[in-house]
Amino acid sequence: MSTQLITDVPRTRVRRSWRVRTLSGLGPATVVAGSVWAVLQPYRLTLLHPSGQGFWWLFAEPPLFVIAVGLLFHFLLVPGLVADVEADEG
């Protein structure tokens, strides 16, 4: 008795449009920009030297906000936007 559980499925390469690639790259590019900003200007990260600073001064870290916005955009908004663009194009 012989059964084949695994079959060879030909791979089809999906070609994405430039609009989908651009949308997919915006979030990671924003995260990289925020990380570079944090490395190039470490004095902006007051968590590194919090002497005499209040909660809101420590909480409001611009480079960290940029990184957080990039991550939120990539994981929350991009899937829906890509589906809309692909539906519009296809």
Side-chain angles (χ1 to χ4, degrees):
M1 182 161 105
S2 174
T3 61
Q4 290 186 350
L5 297 176
I6 300 174
T7 60
D8 290 333
V9 177
R11 292 186 181 187
T12 58
R13 187 171 176 136
V14 177
R15 184 135 170 97
R16 294 184 141 186
S17 70
W18 65 271
R19 292 179 0 179
V20 171
R21 286 192 309 251
T22 302
L23 278 174
S24 298
L26 283 176
T30 305
V31 171
V32 168
S35 301
V36 169
W37 183 16
V39 168
L40 292 178
Q41 295 181 340
Y43 57 87
R44 294 223 185 242
L45 295 175
T46 55
L47 291 174
L48 299 177
H49 46 83
S51 59
Q53 305 299 331
F55 171 75
W56 289 109
W57 186 263
L58 295 174
F59 181 73
E61 304 284 343
L64 300 180
F65 281 151
V66 171
I67 293 170
V69 166
L71 289 171
L72 290 174
F73 179 79
H74 183 70
F75 290 113
L76 296 179
L77 294 177
V78 168
L81 292 173
V82 166
D84 287 345
V85 168
E86 287 177 344
D88 187 44
E89 291 176 349

